[in-house]
């Protein structure tokens, strides 16, 4: 969202007793006067992931939504979107014309939640630690371009980059660049459990029941100094096993807001039959869903097979019949709401056509029907996933060119199997780390891509991605991103299906809802407040 896997439950570790404390101040909240937000993220312990809330390890949308409230970053994306602005820093800028040296000066008087000062050395330590641990499937790729981190006194830090990267300010606004105290986080190993220490707007405590986190209490950090305006003293993040349970709690007025993630049916019902005292807010959505391929697997090694699949898939049917108003067809890795988007797949394949797909396979000497298993996760991308894959199966099999079966697996087993290369074809989703076209292309095409895909494009890796990152004016990189999208449409290492919309339901009297979830699906709980009237 792993992050960056479009998430319903984000499976995370749990090695704590009933209440796992995070930060040094605040009692975690007793529910009194707290804003209560519902979510369906699941945080559970696992042998493979004992340190889910460590910024060097966690790469799930749900994990990042916890870290964003508690761990401070040098930069942040402002509430209305746009270019990153200083957060823990008082100012940051490239100091050369090649975008290879980036200097930040910290705000004066920054403190961690325990009152200890935040220094440039803490920033360097935090970045070096992520790079040194280099967690498999973690977020380290976002900092992979850092050559060295240099400090100048107590408040200045300089990042020397290996290659030009105009997107670097965005990367410093993500939790992987969160500033942590060296006293709490080992330099060469992950910090296990559920403690989080930082200098962000809140401290937090996790309430645990039957080895699962059921609620997270966020309390305003009195030592916080940054650019964010915190509009409440306490927020409770109430975690539910599914959207139905969350909806029941909302109907019973036990929570003030339903956030991640309402089902299409819940949103549709509120759209068609508005409820008194309830507000449904539609927000821009940048989430995408797609099929991924292990391009070394004999079943899909020949790109003609992948191209034929792209030729017959009916995105409109899947978006309309399975997801309704919460999704729309996607013909590129880059969503239509992001600058640089082009409908590369539609331009190449047009409307679904069995005849054209048959010609593609025939010219490549592929015998039909092509036998494939489409793998999906049963508990990570929402209740519509199973129906989506049934629809895909029918579409492929109805052509007579494919003999497709589908298989669902819980996320805890699905993700490791996908990374190992056990699946020839699999369904995944993506929430962007930041709203730039680079983050919809490089994570899939560059080295150390988060899918662990064997696919390589020399044109993408050696020419187009570096070229796009040289452009400080991101609009100047539009043609480069169009070429990247055309590469994907031709080689089909991934097959985009749909992009999502976001809906949030809130009770009357809760303000700031329109800012509480941004286009990247990041929770910004500091924006919420109860109307005193």
């Amino acid at each position: 969202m792993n992050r960056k896997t479009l998430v319903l439950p984000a499976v995370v570790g749990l090695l704590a007793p009933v209440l796992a404390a995070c930060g040094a101040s605040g009692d975690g909240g007793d529910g009194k006067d707290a804003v209560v937000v519902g979510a369906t993220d699941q945080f559970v312990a696992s042998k493979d992931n004992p340190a889910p809330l460590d910024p060097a390890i966690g790469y799930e949308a749900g994990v990042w939504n916890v870290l964003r409230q508690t761990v401070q970053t040098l930069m942040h994306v402002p509430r209305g979107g746009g270019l990153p602005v200083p957060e823990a820093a008082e100012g940051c800028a490239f100091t050369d014309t090649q975008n290879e040296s980036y200097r930040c000066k910290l705000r004066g008087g920054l403190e961690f939640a325990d009152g200890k000062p935040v220094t440039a050395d803490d920033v360097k330590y935090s970045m070096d630690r992520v790079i040194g641990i280099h967690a498999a499937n973690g977020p380290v790729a976002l900092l992979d371009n850092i050559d060295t981190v240099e400090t100048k006194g107590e408040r200045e830090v300089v990042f020397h980059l290996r290659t030009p990267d105009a997107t670097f300010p965005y990367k410093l606004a993500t939790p992987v660049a969160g500033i942590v105290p060296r006293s709490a986080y080992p330099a060469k190993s992950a910090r296990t459990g559920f403690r989080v220490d930082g200098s962000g707007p809140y401290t937090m405590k996790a309430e645990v029941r039957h080895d699962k986190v059921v609620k997270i209490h966020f309390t305003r950090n009195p030592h916080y100094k940054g650019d964010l305006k915190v509009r409440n003293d306490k927020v409770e993040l109430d975690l539910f096993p599914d959207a139905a349970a969350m909806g029941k709690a909302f109907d019973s007025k036990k929570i003030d807001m339903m956030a991640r993630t309402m089902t299409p049916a819940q949103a549709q019902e509120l759209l068609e039959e508005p409820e008194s005292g309830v507000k449904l807010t539609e927000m821009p959505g940048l989430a995408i869903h797609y099929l991924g391929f292990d391009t070394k697997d004999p079943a899909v090694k020949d790109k003609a097979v992948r191209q034929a699949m792209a030729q017959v898939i009916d995105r409109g049917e899947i978006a309309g019949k399975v997801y309704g108003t919460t999704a729309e067809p996607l013909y590129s890795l880059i969503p239509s709401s992001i600058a640089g988007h082009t409908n590369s797949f539609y331009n190449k394949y047009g409307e679904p056509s069995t005849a054209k797909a048959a010609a593609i396979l025939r010219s490549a000497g592929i015998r039909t029907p092509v036998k494939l298993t489409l793998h999906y996760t049963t508990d990570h991308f929402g209740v519509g996933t199973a129906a989506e894959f049934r629809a895909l199966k029918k579409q492929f099999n109805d052509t007579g060119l494919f003999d497709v079966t589908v298989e669902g697996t819980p996320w805890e087993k699905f993700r490791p199997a996908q990374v190992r290369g056990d699946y020839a074809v699999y369904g995944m989703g993506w929430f962007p780390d930041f709203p730039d076209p680079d983050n919809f292309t490089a994570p899939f095409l560059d080295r150390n891509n988060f899918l662990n895909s064997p696919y390589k494009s020399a044109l993408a890796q050696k020419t187009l991605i570096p070229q796009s990152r040289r452009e400080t004016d991101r609009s100047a990189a539009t043609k480069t991103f169009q070429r990247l999208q055309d590469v994907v449409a031709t080689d089909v290492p991934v097959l985009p299906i749909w992009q999502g919309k976001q809906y949030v339901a809130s009770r009357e009297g809760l303000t700031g809802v329109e800012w509480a979830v941004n286009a990247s699906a990041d929770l910004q709980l500091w924006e919420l407040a109860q109307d005193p009237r």
Side-chain angles (χ1 to χ4, degrees), residues 133-160:
I133 291 174
H134 209 276
N137 308 316
V140 64
L142 289 168
L143 303 183
D144 203 36
N145 196 31
I146 294 177
D147 185 20
T148 58
V149 183
E150 177 187 4
T151 61
K152 294 179 179 287
E154 292 290 304
R155 293 175 57 194
E156 289 193 27
V157 58
V158 182
F159 300 93
H160 300 284

Side-chain angles (χ1 to χ4, degrees), residues 267-274 280 325:
Q268 189 68 30
E269 182 178 353
L270 286 172
L271 282 169
E272 294 176 354
E273 300 180 17
L280 184 68
T325 61

Side-chain angles (χ1 to χ4, degrees), residues 260-463:
R260 293 173 34 85
T261 303
M262 296 178 63
T263 66
Q266 287 172 325
Q268 189 68 30
E269 182 178 353
L270 286 172
L271 282 169
E272 294 176 354
E273 300 180 17
E275 182 181 336
S276 177
V278 173
K279 180 182 179 182
L280 184 68
T281 304
E282 179 182 337
M283 302 175 180
L286 298 179
I288 67 172
H289 206 258
Y290 57 93
L291 291 179
F293 298 94
D294 178 355
T295 54
K296 284 187 176 180
D297 191 287
V300 294
K301 183 176 182 179
D302 194 317
K303 70 178 179 182
V305 174
R306 308 192 301 268
Q307 290 174 333
M309 295 174 73
Q311 183 63 73
V312 300
I313 189 172
D314 188 339
R315 296 170 175 82
E317 180 183 68
I318 291 170
K321 291 186 177 180
V322 177
Y323 295 101
T325 61
T326 64
E328 58 187 65
L330 178 64
Y331 296 92
S332 167
L333 278 175
I334 300 176
S336 59
S337 49
I338 291 286
H341 164 84
T342 186
N343 289 319
S344 293
F345 275 83
Y346 190 85
N347 295 341
K348 184 171 181 62
Y349 300 100
E351 295 295 332
S353 170
T354 298
K356 290 181 180 179
I360 292 171
L361 294 171
R362 186 167 53 249
S363 65
I366 305 295
R367 295 181 62 183
T368 59
V370 179
K371 290 189 176 182
L372 296 171
T373 299
L374 307 186
H375 293 268
Y376 69 93
T377 176
T378 57
D379 58 355
H380 201 70
F381 298 133
V383 296
T385 307
E388 176 184 346
F389 275 74
R390 287 194 299 269
L392 285 169
K393 173 185 175 180
K394 186 176 187 304
Q395 287 183 9
F396 290 129
N397 288 346
D398 282 352
T399 67
L401 302 173
F402 297 94
D403 181 4
V404 167
T405 59
V406 297
E407 183 175 324
T409 306
W411 178 255
E412 187 175 7
K413 295 181 179 179
F414 174 91
R415 175 59 171 163
Q418 179 269 308
V419 171
R420 287 194 305 266
D422 293 354
Y423 303 149
V425 190
Y426 50 87
M428 289 283 280
W430 176 257
F431 279 122
D433 301 310
F434 49 88
D436 185 276
D438 176 87
N439 201 236
F440 290 94
T441 49
F444 300 91
L445 305 176
D446 211 353
R447 65 191 183 97
N448 296 326
N449 66 82
F450 92 103
L451 289 175
N452 198 32
S453 171
Y455 170 79
K456 288 182 174 61
S457 165
L459 175 62
Q461 290 184 2
K462 295 181 179 180
T463 301

Side-chain angles (χ1 to χ4, degrees), residues 90-305:
E90 70 174 30
C92 291
F94 283 105
T95 58
D96 66 330
T97 59
Q98 299 300 313
N99 294 338
E100 290 182 317
S101 182
Y102 195 73
R103 183 188 300 263
C104 291
K105 184 175 182 180
L106 293 175
R107 294 177 185 271
L110 280 183
E111 296 177 340
F112 289 111
D114 62 1
K116 293 180 181 177
V118 176
T119 68
D121 183 63
D122 292 306
V123 176
K124 174 177 169 58
Y125 178 81
S126 300
M127 307 299 170
D128 288 346
R129 179 176 177 274
V130 173
I131 296 168
I133 291 174
H134 209 276
N137 308 316
V140 64
L142 289 168
L143 303 183
D144 203 36
N145 196 31
I146 294 177
D147 185 20
T148 58
V149 183
E150 177 187 4
T151 61
K152 294 179 179 287
E154 292 290 304
R155 293 175 57 194
E156 289 193 27
V157 58
V158 182
F159 300 93
H160 300 284
L161 307 182
R162 291 188 176 91
T163 59
D165 187 2
T167 71
F168 190 66
Y170 280 110
K171 295 170 182 176
L172 289 185
T174 65
V176 67
I179 307 166
V180 298
R182 68 169 61 228
S183 60
Y185 290 83
K188 298 182 179 180
S189 62
R191 183 186 186 182
T192 59
F194 283 98
R195 289 188 61 88
V196 177
D197 288 274
S199 54
Y202 296 99
T203 61
M204 62 84 88
K205 290 184 179 181
E207 187 178 326
V208 180
R209 204 172 295 151
H210 304 304
D211 291 337
K212 287 187 177 182
V213 176
V214 295
K215 187 176 291 187
I216 298 177
H217 302 267
F218 293 102
T219 303
R220 183 197 290 257
N221 174 13
H223 295 278
Y224 171 71
K225 296 181 180 69
D227 192 55
L228 305 176
K229 304 297 185 279
V230 184
R231 303 179 64 235
N232 58 67
D233 291 326
K234 298 178 183 178
V235 179
E236 292 180 1
L237 188 63
D238 210 346
L239 303 176
F240 296 92
D242 51 46
M246 179 172 66
K248 185 176 180 180
F250 185 75
D251 292 341
S252 302
K253 300 184 179 181
K254 293 180 180 178
I255 61 176
D256 301 306
M257 186 176 100
M258 286 198 291
R260 293 173 34 85
T261 303
M262 296 178 63
T263 66
Q266 287 172 325
Q268 189 68 30
E269 182 178 353
L270 286 172
L271 282 169
E272 294 176 354
E273 300 180 17
E275 182 181 336
S276 177
V278 173
K279 180 182 179 182
L280 184 68
T281 304
E282 179 182 337
M283 302 175 180
L286 298 179
I288 67 172
H289 206 258
Y290 57 93
L291 291 179
F293 298 94
D294 178 355
T295 54
K296 284 187 176 180
D297 191 287
V300 294
K301 183 176 182 179
D302 194 317
K303 70 178 179 182
V305 174

Side-chain angles (χ1 to χ4, degrees), residues 486-500:
D486 289 343
V487 167
V488 175
T490 298
D491 292 348
V492 199
V494 292
L495 177 52
I497 303 175
W498 56 265
Q499 71 179 78

